[in-house]
Amino acid sequence: MSSPRSRANMVHVYNCHPYASQQIVQVEQEPGLVCCGGGALFVVASGGCKVEAYSVEQEGCPLICRFSTMGTVRSIQHSKTGDYLVTIEEKNSATYLRAYTNWRYQAEGKARVGVRLLGHLLRGASVRGGVQMEIIEIPLSEHPVAVACCSVTGDLLVGCEKTLVLFTLRRPNQQSLSQSPWPNTQQSSSQSQGQTSSSNQNVSILDFERSVIVHLPKMSLKQVALCGGYVAVQAELEVLVLKLEASSEPQTPDDSSDTNTCDDPLEDQSDLLLIPRQQELLGDRAKDCDIPVSIEKTGLEDKGQYTLSYVLFRRFTPEFFQGCSVEETQLHSLQLYPLYTSSQSASTEEPACVFCFFSLPNAGYLYSLKGGVELLSAYQYPEKVLEAVLTDHLLHVITKNALQCFTVRCAAVAARMEDPYIDTTMKACPPCSLEVCALRMQLFIGLRSVCVYGRHVILLSAADMETPDESERSTQRRELKKHTTLTGIFLAVGIDPATTPALESFLSRPFLSRKWTISSPKETSAAGHGWNLYVVDTVSPLVLYREMVEYSRHYSETNPQAQSLRHLLSEAHLLLCASSLQQSSEGNHTVSLQKDADKQTEGQTEGQTEGQTERQEVQEALRQNCAQLGDCYSRASQKDCHQALPYYRMSGLSVTEVLVRNRPLPSSPHSYGLGFLFYLKHFLFEETEQSLSQESADEVIDIFSQSDPSEIISVCASPSMTNISPARTLRIFQHLEATAGVSVPLTITMATMMLRLDDLPQYTQLMDRHPEMLLVYGFIDEPRLLLHGGGGRPHTRVRPTSLTRQLSKSQPGLLVAGMVALHENNKAQLEQADHIFKELGCENCLLVDFWEATLMASSQEVVIQELLFRLASVYIERLTHTNSGAHSSLPRTRPQRRPLKSADDLINSSSHYGSLYPWLTVLCPAHTTNFQHQEALHKLQSLLCGPSMSIGSVLPLLERLSEETLWGFSLHLLCATRRGQFDSSIEKLLDRCPQAIIAFANHHLQDRHMALWWQKLLPELCDRTRAAADNSILLAALKETLVVVATETSPAQFLELIPDDGTASYFLPHLLTCSQRHLLA
């Protein structure tokens, strides 16, 4: 159990005109029931058995058709999908449920009518004879109390006293439907009343199938609603919303269909009068209510099953308020309303949003059901409300003597459903919790019911007849009633008109100044029949928006920071958003119909052009409204000032235009709003391609020098400020330095200004103020001193600054150190730094220096391996295009520069560069090639000698190098050695450079490879010496090898190693040394 949230929403009242004109529908008999849909108004005569359909989209509301019903109609509803009518009728004390299809072909009641039972289609001559209206008899086991049609699927929900029955709309002639789609609203309304039965190209055969029966034994149903799988039921003081979902899996016999098996704790206490307390349960908590729900098995479970879940439960207690007794405190106007986003089609897709509305006589409640159940608005009425209808833009309510409308928050929910960037720095929308407002009302006499189709509000009024003598007194009472009603509205929202002379003056004049176009009534109306049927047209959202903007000007003139101004502009924004969503949904529906149609008429083309023009006007109005909201938030408090950024962005205004709109008032020439500064900072700190003119850039510098001097360095470093006046800005910086002191970023920025003034001596003097390490820290504090664009984000284009270009010429080491610092502090990506050096034309020198420096500084394994591969590729490229006597054959635009780090520097300062193996010095002695070649060779050899290089990744690159040269042979031999191929390496080295074999063996043949001295090296030397006995290099190597073997083996092992044809005198000294060592051991 939980008590409902107390939301005391304030209701704003604005003197805007929501209604444009009204006309009286010429009906002959007093209307008893009315409903609308499909461009038509359906009128049931009071106590009669005849339905008349009038076109509400044509001037004068002409009669479309009339037809008789089979009983006295007690309830009537129209379904948008399927274009059928459903009625609850009485005849001979029995209640019936009937559906009327193809009713449009009853022109003046001349067409034939077919009557059939549910599921029994008419066949034979009755179908072949042409178009005819069908009356479908829907049998029920209980008396129907209420009906509802789903606007999404066309399904029919019937509410009995304790039971819900869902009928699914079926289309037996799917083939004909695919050739001729359902007539939409415009097509339906355009059909003339003289249409005959021969025009059967759009005829549709409809039928219903009972799908599910839901039992609610503890709830006495009064109203029901159905929309997109959501089922809402209403009792006197309770509302329950369920989600009904169909499953294709058949239901097993053991499955239980009960979704709530609560036992009734008050079963034996029926003699007690208990008043339940108020309760609000949302989402999953709604299942904790004491309303059990169960699904009856219909015998069709093999086709699938339905599952129920609780969505919302709300219970009220009977209360007394002025004008309504406790007995009259009952819920009414239950409604489920779908809303589509701009990317959806209202005819083919499930709605993105579904809203539930219901009302008490004194308050209305609007909930959002999808994406989390939430109470959007609670409407407090100033007097007793009889009925209410929810639309995209407005909530229309009627009292006994007035039609009034309130704003709604449906568009705010739909906008957030559609766009994930809402409520970010990119886009904004007024919150769903924005306080609602009431617009100007229209007074009537004796209102009974209201329904809405599009922009047409249909009102039924019935008043007691007055004598001529009472007319004058009645007029006076009505005038007094108007004043009292309006005064009550203002008092209900906490405004006392007596304290405001402007409101008193407003209430003292006639309330309605709008001209009304009223059709000339018949003579019976002139005689005063006591009832009327009105069609009141609401103004278009665009017109209402313009009036709201005009209305807001008196706020902006008197108090630009007034909360009411912001609220009114937010209301206008939501109004335009709702209009945009509605237009997009209708446009998508029209496109889908055109794809199925064979051709498009000229009238439809003109209608589309008008629709496109209206959409363009709405979009332009949205941009203007966003600019106005940006102006409001630009001077808002710190809590809301951040909203200026997204609204200005959505307005499409340039920074210069925003500057003009936010220039300070003459009364406070140095005062800038927090929201404006917030917008300006974001624009300047984000990397954009929009450059300000010199005038605008200088104005921005003045703004920050007055409002926020601490940000002036970052502002000046923005790429948008490239046209700034350097001399003027330098004076501001010098003043800032004199007041705030010297700082490294300020010094670098001043040096940049000197550079733009071509004052190189002053530039050099400023750069020499601080050591290079402090300058590097300055670059970390403000990376945009070196590069524009990126902001640390990957795959973003960057470009060098003028300071970067100067550093590449005068201080390349500082530039490389600065770029390495930016990379290591996540201020620049590796690819972005590469692009900078390529832009500078330094890809052959400084870029490689940057890679080498980054390799020394980086601790990220991925970056290390990437840099090792890049550097190995560069070194091999240099070795390929250089030789011992010539420079690189690659074309160059400038002389080759010596690298910042030599091979020895890298070996001494980086763990990734290993010390060169001793045998490499023997194999490739220094000064045998030119400097560039020697450096590239030593660096590559050092990488291969280091612990980090992956040999597998570099082997494909080494295939480009030949082994014919000793330096190329050394690289291949290094790779083979790193891979553990010592046997083949020994053979290759003895073939190419035997003088290096001992150095090779001393370095590599140690520990677990020691046995290779006598297993591989000694036999190879013996064989080669036998073939070349005068080779002194081989003989010297053999002696060194025997010394090692004698030290590491036993005498017996040594004897086994001596060749059979060896000279005893040559091996005897080594055998003696081996024996002596063995004896000592």
Side-chain angles (χ1 to χ4, degrees), residues 492-547:
V493 299
I495 303 175
D496 187 2
T499 61
T500 307
L503 286 179
E504 273 293 298
S505 174
F506 167 69
L507 293 173
S508 65
R509 65 176 183 266
F511 189 63
L512 287 175
S513 59
R514 177 77 54 121
K515 292 183 179 180
W516 300 88
T517 58
I518 304 176
S519 302
S520 299
K522 294 184 179 181
E523 294 181 0
T524 55
S525 297
H529 45 56
W531 49 264
N532 271 313
L533 190 59
Y534 300 95
V535 176
V536 180
D537 294 338
T538 60
V539 299
S540 69
L542 197 57
V543 173
L544 185 56
Y545 158 76
R546 289 167 181 163
E547 186 174 1

Side-chain angles (χ1 to χ4, degrees), residues 774-944:
L774 291 182
L775 294 177
V776 169
Y777 287 139
F779 295 142
I780 296 175
D781 290 339
E782 186 46 71
R784 292 181 297 178
L785 292 170
L786 287 182
L787 54 90
H788 282 164
R793 297 184 298 272
H795 313 299
T796 306
R797 182 178 177 84
V798 293
R799 59 186 183 274
T801 64
S802 58
L803 177 62
T804 305
R805 297 185 183 278
Q806 178 63 30
L807 290 178
S808 66
K809 302 173 184 177
S810 59
Q811 294 176 282
L814 176 59
L815 175 59
V816 169
M819 294 302 298
V820 171
L822 295 184
H823 176 267
E824 290 305 300
N825 287 273
N826 298 321
K827 301 297 179 67
Q829 302 295 318
L830 193 61
E831 292 76 10
Q832 294 172 339
D834 294 348
H835 180 76
I836 290 293
F837 287 109
K838 290 176 182 178
E839 284 282 323
L840 296 172
C842 304
E843 60 269 20
N844 291 325
C845 48
L846 283 183
L847 178 57
V848 180
D849 293 332
F850 167 74
W851 289 345
E852 293 172 346
T854 306
L855 181 63
M856 290 188 290
S858 180
S859 59
Q860 304 177 40
E861 185 61 27
V862 176
V863 175
I864 291 173
Q865 291 302 321
E866 175 67 20
L867 291 175
L868 287 172
F869 181 80
R870 292 186 183 186
L871 289 171
S873 303
V874 170
Y875 298 152
I876 291 174
E877 184 72 19
R878 289 178 177 178
L879 290 172
T880 304
H881 294 89
T882 56
N883 53 55
S884 58
H887 293 286
S888 173
S889 59
L890 290 176
R892 289 187 176 88
T893 58
R894 62 185 69 182
Q896 184 70 15
R897 182 189 56 80
R898 294 177 70 91
L900 295 177
K901 294 284 186 180
S902 65
D904 292 336
D905 295 333
L906 294 175
I907 293 172
N908 294 330
S909 57
S910 175
S911 61
H912 304 292
Y913 288 86
S915 299
L916 297 181
Y917 298 153
W919 56 271
L920 289 172
T921 305
V922 180
L923 189 62
C924 302
H927 310 300
T928 57
T929 58
N930 62 27
F931 173 78
Q932 298 172 17
H933 187 278
Q934 190 73 28
E935 280 294 300
L937 177 61
H938 283 180
K939 289 180 179 180
L940 182 56
Q941 289 176 338
S942 178
L943 283 181
L944 294 175

Side-chain angles (χ1 to χ4, degrees), residues 717-757:
S718 171
S720 303
M721 303 288 286
T722 53
N723 297 324
I724 197 172
S725 172
R728 187 173 181 276
T729 307
L730 190 60
R731 290 194 295 271
I732 296 176
F733 285 155
Q734 290 170 347
H735 175 73
L736 180 63
E737 186 179 56
T739 56
V742 178
S743 68
V744 175
L746 179 59
T747 300
I748 300 175
T749 309
M750 293 173 64
T752 303
M753 295 297 107
M754 289 295 183
L755 191 62
R756 295 181 60 180
L757 291 171

